[in-house]
Amino acid sequence: MSTANLSSLRLKYREKKEVFLEQNIKVKEPIALFREWMEQALQTEELLEPNAACLATVNKDGKPSNRFVLLKDVTDEGFRFFTNYGSNKAKDIANNPNVAMTLYWLPLRRQIRIEGVAEKIPQTDSLAYFRQRPRASQIGALASEQSTRIPSREYLDDIESGIKAKLGPNGQVPLPNWGGYLIRPHTIEFWQGQTDRLHDRIQFRRGPGVEKEIDETLVHKGENGWVYERLAP
Ligand SMILES: Cc1cc2nc3c(=O)[nH]c(=O)nc-3n(C[C@H](O)[C@H](O)[C@H](O)COP(=O)(O)O)c2cc1C
């Protein structure tokens, strides 16, 4: 039996990236910078799903788990994603709303780490987004009690067929136990990979007392209550 030697993996994206310098950050505020980086990611053809983000939660025993979700929008308040409100991640958040989310964009050699507190968005907003989704996805969301044990694939298909038969071809799909979360961030780190291992890491933080940490060398004043600092790679 052979073992995978991951250390010999050759990276396709070897070219040197521009050094990421503080003076080149136009607005010293992470939401604006996130939007700028996301815009660049969206324009990068090889990046097929730049809004796929790995979301970490902690369960009631203090054990972490993570999974990908799709980031659906970014506002001045924070980052929104949608999921089943009965899922394992939703149970984790109900018990402990502290979450972390990470995006990785290989062709750009960039990583963004977001830490914050998640809260459910208003149901009217969830419903508005649910209605925008293709009908098949709405039915799928209604059919699947996410994270529960099921006996087979067939079981799921039968539930879906039952819903379709009940609603008919044009019946409106009721909103399942499903909706959005807003992550209000307190820490966001932007990582720009370099080929020489001396990667760039700029971290923004906000919260009670952070502005008291501002000094002349390490912690800098940003906008909207944020501070920023460079971390060793
Ligand atoms: C790229 C990608 C995007 C996904 N997007 C979502 C999403 O937006 N919402 C969601 O509930 N699950 C999404 N999933 C499925 C989750 O990763 C996960 O399987 C599911 O939410 C159940 O997680 P849980 O049992 O930890 O709650 C996605 C999976 C992948 C691979």
Side-chain angles (χ1 to χ4, degrees), residues 35 37-45 47 50-51 105 108:
R35 287 201 178 109
W37 276 31
M38 179 57 94
E39 206 44 55
Q40 290 163 3
L42 289 167
Q43 284 164 18
T44 303
E45 226 168 82
L47 248 172
N51 64 330
W105 298 326
L108 297 171

Side-chain angles (χ1 to χ4, degrees), residues 91-106:
K91 285 181 187 144
D92 287 356
I93 292 169
N95 182 63
N96 179 349
N98 291 296
V99 300
M101 182 178 254
T102 305
L103 298 100
Y104 175 50
W105 298 326
L106 173 58

Side-chain angles (χ1 to χ4, degrees), residues 70-91:
L70 294 179
L71 195 56
K72 285 299 174 180
D73 63 36
V74 184
T75 66
D76 291 343
E77 290 183 313
F79 302 85
R80 288 207 308 182
F81 67 92
F82 290 82
T83 193
N84 186 295
Y85 282 156
S87 65
N88 284 344
K89 73 182 90 48
K91 285 181 187 144

Side-chain angles (χ1 to χ4, degrees), residues 82-212:
F82 290 82
T83 193
N84 186 295
Y85 282 156
S87 65
N88 284 344
K89 73 182 90 48
K91 285 181 187 144
D92 287 356
I93 292 169
N95 182 63
N96 179 349
N98 291 296
V99 300
M101 182 178 254
T102 305
L103 298 100
Y104 175 50
W105 298 326
L106 173 58
L108 297 171
R109 295 180 60 84
R110 282 179 173 173
Q111 170 182 247
I112 302 179
R113 294 169 60 173
I114 298 161
E115 290 164 24
V117 178
E119 65 187 39
K120 284 185 181 173
I121 67 170
Q123 200 192 38
T124 44
D125 294 357
S126 292
L127 184 60
Y129 174 63
F130 188 70
R131 290 277 165 255
Q132 284 174 27
R133 301 182 83 208
R135 190 165 183 272
S137 306
Q138 294 184 31
I139 291 173
L142 183 63
S144 172
E145 284 186 37
Q146 197 175 55
S147 316
T148 59
R149 287 193 192 96
I150 53 172
S152 62
R153 168 82 213 189
E154 202 183 14
Y155 169 88
L156 209 51
D157 293 338
D158 287 347
I159 292 184
E160 188 189 38
S161 308
I163 293 171
K164 282 183 179 160
K166 196 171 153 203
L167 293 175
N170 302 312
Q172 194 173 69
V173 184
L175 182 69
N177 185 23
W178 179 97
Y181 283 96
L182 170 71
I183 304 176
R184 291 184 189 274
H186 53 70
T187 306
I188 305 183
E189 184 200 314
F190 296 83
W191 183 97
Q192 174 67 68
Q194 301 295 346
T195 39
D196 56 7
R197 173 64 180 77
L198 291 181
H199 314 303
D200 294 300
R201 300 177 64 191
I202 309 268
Q203 174 175 270
F204 288 82
R205 288 184 293 128
R206 85 171 157 197
V210 289
E211 286 189 298
K212 289 200 196 99

